[in-house]
Amino acid sequence: MTGLARVVLGGLVFLTVWTALAQIVALAALGFDLLIVALVVAAAVGLWCATRRRSVEAVAQVFEDPGLRFRVPALRLDRGALPDRLTLGLAVLAGIAGLVAIALQYRFSAFEPLWIVGLATALLAMLRAPADGAAPLILGPRIAAPAFPAIWLTLGIAVVMGLFYAVVSIPDADDALFLNFATGAKVAREAVFATDTMLGIDGLDFIKSTYRLESYLLLVAVVSEVTTLPVLPVAHGLLPALLIAWSACALTMIHHALFGCHRVPTLLLHLVALAALDGSLLSYGYHALPRFFHGKAVFVTVVVPLIALATVAWLRQGRRAGLVLLGLAVITGVGFTANAVYAGPLTAALLGLLHLLTGGAVRWRFLALPAVVLWPGLVVAAVLLTDPPGGSEYADPGTVGGALWPLAGTPVAMLGLVCLLLSGAGAGLLHRSLVAVSLGVAVLLVVVLNPLLWDLYGALVTGNLNYRLMWAVPVPMILAVIAGLVWSAGGRALRSAVAVAALGALFWPGSILWQVPAWGAFPRVPGEAFALARAVDDVAGSEDLVLAPQPVATWIPVAEGAPAVVEARMTYVSQRRDPAHREVLVMRATLFEAWSRRDAPPLTPERLSALVSETGVTVVVVDDARQIHRAALPILQRLGFRKAAAADGHLILKR
């Protein structure tokens, strides 16, 4: 495992150093050339750490420590261990109440009954757990697994992940912003992330200060600059390939730490869980391999499990290398997504609280955890002091019950997750060693899925995007652990059942395999809209201003040298809060909304003519299928617009 530890450590140190240096450059609005220096420094430090034998061995020992591995005892059915009548009666009542609560969540998205029942069940399990030595549960004896070289497993997992990424194509409209950050940083070289580079308005404030923390977008820009490759193939091809290779090493190490020789099936089950939990943009599956060109995907898929394992390694082993790994992973996570500012520390905090309640004589290790958030805390303080982000563009955080639906993706997955939640709450009734599971569910319900704190989280932490709190809970990894425990403890029948269940989850209607709009498309863009956007690029120059309907406007700013747009997506309108340019932003928002939304109030010919002239539009994309566009043609012609190109039912007019 030393070779894998070398790759994981070197890659993590590189990403951490790069993140810290890139954040300094972005927050201070320094020049782009300093990012090239930062890349060299980060690579040198990462390589140096990867070649230090002592450091590599310390990391390898963290993952090799047998104390981290799950052990499944051969639990036997003993009448003396069955719950007494009171406990059994309370458990039956809890089960009935749980079924009612699940029905209320399923039918009305009312999570409060489920929350109360879950806490009550966890309390019952902690107070009435059976004695050690026997339990009302039968599992077969632990079965040995054949040794399988870690390097070959890693290569196999990397190939599987790479093929999955290559075949499953799910474009993300947020690339309108993210790729424009990269292309804009290369153009506005004097001051990185100082001003907007999408709308062509001189001096317009950067859209949202928290994006300055996301160093991954700047890594795309710098690698593009150094390799002379365009931003798009770097963002969608080169960097995802490197990150998939590093992630395969990290996931192999994590599953080796948890299951040892049983790492092969558990790692495969982890990938199956990622593919099965899909069906919605907010689910774990969408923020996994298909979107590995976004930092959020790397964070949810790999960094969160790494944070979880490093936290447990420090709390249980007391190894300083585990604490160092935790600190590196927390910083790296913020570079991939600004949401990691709270989601990464929350992962460590949940496990830390569990340790604080159960850690015995070594509870004091919990006190070291705040040290790992020192750097994220400093950069967040810098943002709040110099350029605090405006209020959220989302009106309210919704409810816990409502947030669970998109995370689960499908009704069946929803039922499965809430049943798993209640089962975990009552796990302590099976065996005293499982009381920690019940306590962990109680901590989750109190700290994260708490209806009493939901609005507060939305206002002070997440910007009303509370579903991202659940990124701190690595559900796919938890599912893999549960299936892996059954696999490693069960006989042939149980293993066959796990294999059938895994195949069923992979191909069931909620799987990501049924949600793919295109197979094998590269880059990760919608073909027709992207082709239209490139046709606009052929007509418009860098000095032009383009008015296009949203499906086309979204993909115009992603290319280098692309013209400015009136707006790219309606979701960005509310995020632009520069008071010095308020008037022009309002005019642009009005024009873009009328041109993009079918339910928008129509503009009078005079108002349309005035907005086009006052905003300085020089190129207009007309959709022949929309009546409002056809009606505007005479107005545009009177303003001097003439046909410059036509493609796929659209006219491109230029003044």
Side-chain angles (χ1 to χ4, degrees):
M1 300 296 289
T2 303
L4 294 183
R6 194 182 305 278
V7 174
V8 172
L9 176 62
L12 190 59
V13 169
F14 163 76
L15 290 169
T16 301
V17 175
W18 163 258
T19 295
L21 295 177
Q23 287 171 343
I24 292 173
V25 171
L27 291 174
L30 302 177
F32 183 82
D33 290 341
L34 285 176
L35 289 174
I36 300 177
V37 177
L39 180 69
V40 174
V41 171
V45 175
L47 184 62
W48 177 72
C49 288
T51 56
R52 290 191 73 232
R53 180 177 178 181
R54 185 176 178 181
S55 298
V56 173
E57 288 179 348
V59 171
Q61 288 171 3
V62 170
F63 292 93
E64 290 279 5
D65 194 316
L68 282 180
R69 293 180 187 167
F70 286 105
R71 290 178 172 83
V72 184
L75 305 178
R76 57 189 174 85
L77 183 62
D78 189 331
R79 292 190 62 181
L82 289 172
D84 57 61
R85 291 183 178 181
L86 176 60
T87 303
L88 190 59
L90 291 173
V92 171
L93 288 176
I96 295 172
L99 292 175
V100 174
I102 289 172
L104 291 173
Q105 163 63 30
Y106 183 85
R107 182 65 179 84
F108 302 107
S109 297
F111 183 74
E112 288 78 5
L114 193 62
W115 184 67
I116 294 172
V117 172
L119 286 175
T121 303
L123 181 62
L124 172 66
M126 287 183 279
L127 293 177
R128 311 290 295 185
D132 291 330
L137 179 69
I138 298 177
L139 285 177
R142 192 174 176 85
I143 298 176
F148 194 84
I151 184 62
W152 291 113
L153 173 60
T154 304
L155 289 174
I157 293 300
V159 169
V160 170
M161 293 173 69
L163 287 175
F164 197 84
Y165 174 76
V167 171
V168 179
S169 176
I170 301 180
D172 195 327
D174 266 339
D175 266 344
L177 193 65
F178 295 154
L179 292 182
N180 184 258
F181 285 159
T183 58
K186 293 178 65 177
V187 174
R189 305 178 70 92
E190 295 79 12
V192 172
F193 284 0
T195 57
D196 174 81
T197 56
M198 180 187 291
L199 302 190
I201 301 175
D202 291 337
L204 180 64
D205 283 349
F206 193 68
I207 186 170
K208 207 169 189 178
S209 57
T210 51
Y211 284 125
R212 292 192 175 104
L213 303 180
E214 298 192 1
S215 61
Y216 179 65
L217 308 170
L218 292 176
L219 182 60
V220 171
V222 173
V223 171
S224 170
E225 177 83 1
V226 171
T227 61
T228 70
L229 293 171
V231 162
L232 197 55
V234 170
H236 286 193
L238 179 58
L239 283 184
L242 295 174
L243 286 169
I244 283 173
W246 177 76
S247 299
C249 294
L251 289 174
T252 300
M253 293 286 286
I254 290 170
H255 282 266
H256 174 79
L258 297 179
F259 286 98
C261 59
H262 290 279
R263 59 183 177 254
V264 178
T266 64
L267 187 45
L268 291 175
L269 290 167
H270 192 158
L271 298 183
V272 168
L274 286 170
L277 283 175
D278 194 63
S280 166
L281 176 62
L282 312 186
S283 68
Y284 292 93
Y286 259 69
H287 290 297
L289 290 176
R291 278 193 167 89
F292 233 66
F293 53 88
H294 275 191
K296 292 190 288 287
V298 185
F299 174 72
V300 174
T301 304
V302 182
V303 177
V304 170
L306 189 58
I307 289 174
L309 185 78
T311 303
V312 174
W314 161 248
L315 296 174
R316 293 184 60 177
Q317 301 171 333
R319 295 183 184 273
R320 285 179 295 176
L323 189 62
V324 171
L325 282 175
L326 174 58
L328 296 177
V330 168
I331 296 173
T332 294
V334 179
F336 281 121
T337 172
N339 300 287
V341 164
Y342 55 84
L346 181 57
T347 303
L350 291 172
L351 293 166
L353 286 173
L354 184 60
H355 174 80
L356 186 64
L357 296 171
T358 62
V362 293
R363 284 190 177 94
W364 64 268
R365 291 175 186 162
F366 172 82
L367 299 177
L369 293 182
V372 305
V373 299
L374 178 61
W375 179 259
L378 288 175
V379 295
V380 168
V383 168
L384 294 177
L385 290 173
T386 60
D387 186 15
S392 174
E393 61 270 26
Y394 298 95
D396 63 76
T399 63
V400 181
L404 290 180
W405 276 103
L407 275 170
T410 62
V412 175
M414 160 63 74
L415 290 174
L417 288 179
V418 293
C419 288
L420 180 63
L421 187 72
L422 288 183
S423 299
L429 293 172
L430 297 177
H431 195 267
R432 184 164 294 278
S433 64
L434 299 177
V435 167
V437 176
S438 298
L439 182 58
V441 172
V443 169
L444 175 65
L445 290 171
V446 171
V447 177
V448 181
L449 299 177
N450 191 332
L452 303 178
L453 300 176
W454 200 247
D455 289 341
L456 192 65
Y457 287 152
L460 301 180
V461 180
T462 69
N464 290 332
L465 292 171
N466 283 8
Y467 72 90
R468 291 180 179 176
L469 289 170
M470 287 300 294
W471 288 359
V473 185
V475 171
M477 181 179 175
I478 292 171
L479 293 175
V481 165
I482 294 171
L485 288 173
V486 177
W487 180 278
S488 61
R492 182 176 299 177
L494 275 177
R495 290 188 172 188
S496 298
V498 170
V500 170
L503 288 175
L506 186 61
F507 293 104
W508 78 305
S511 166
I512 204 167
L513 300 181
W514 298 91
Q515 312 298 328
V516 181
W519 293 89
F522 186 86
R524 297 295 188 257
V525 294
E528 293 182 3
F530 188 75
L532 279 169
R534 301 289 69 81
V536 172
D537 287 345
D538 293 338
V539 170
S542 59
E543 301 300 321
D544 284 310
L545 177 62
V546 179
L547 171 63
Q550 179 167 282
V552 181
T554 295
W555 298 100
I556 292 176
V558 305
E560 294 165 79
V565 292
V566 170
E567 185 54 89
R569 297 179 68 205
M570 285 303 303
T571 189
Y572 303 150
V573 169
S574 58
Q575 298 181 38
R576 304 189 189 277
R577 302 176 183 274
D578 188 344
H581 298 88
R582 178 174 176 78
E583 184 177 351
V584 68
L585 289 175
V586 170
M587 287 193 297
R588 287 193 177 210
T590 303
L591 181 57
F592 185 68
E593 181 180 23
W595 207 248
S596 296
R597 290 178 52 181
R598 297 184 183 274
D599 59 345
L603 297 174
T604 64
E606 294 77 12
R607 180 61 172 158
L608 176 61
S609 178
L611 287 174
V612 169
S613 299
E614 291 174 20
T615 55
V617 172
T618 56
V619 176
V620 178
V621 178
V622 176
D623 184 351
D624 284 342
R626 296 192 59 185
Q627 192 276 333
I628 188 174
H629 286 201
R630 294 195 303 270
L633 275 174
I635 303 169
L636 296 172
Q637 290 168 351
R638 285 198 297 270
L639 292 173
F641 286 90
R642 298 293 181 265
K643 178 181 175 180
D648 194 30
H650 290 70
L651 294 176
I652 302 174
L653 310 179
K654 186 170 184 179
R655 181 154 57 177

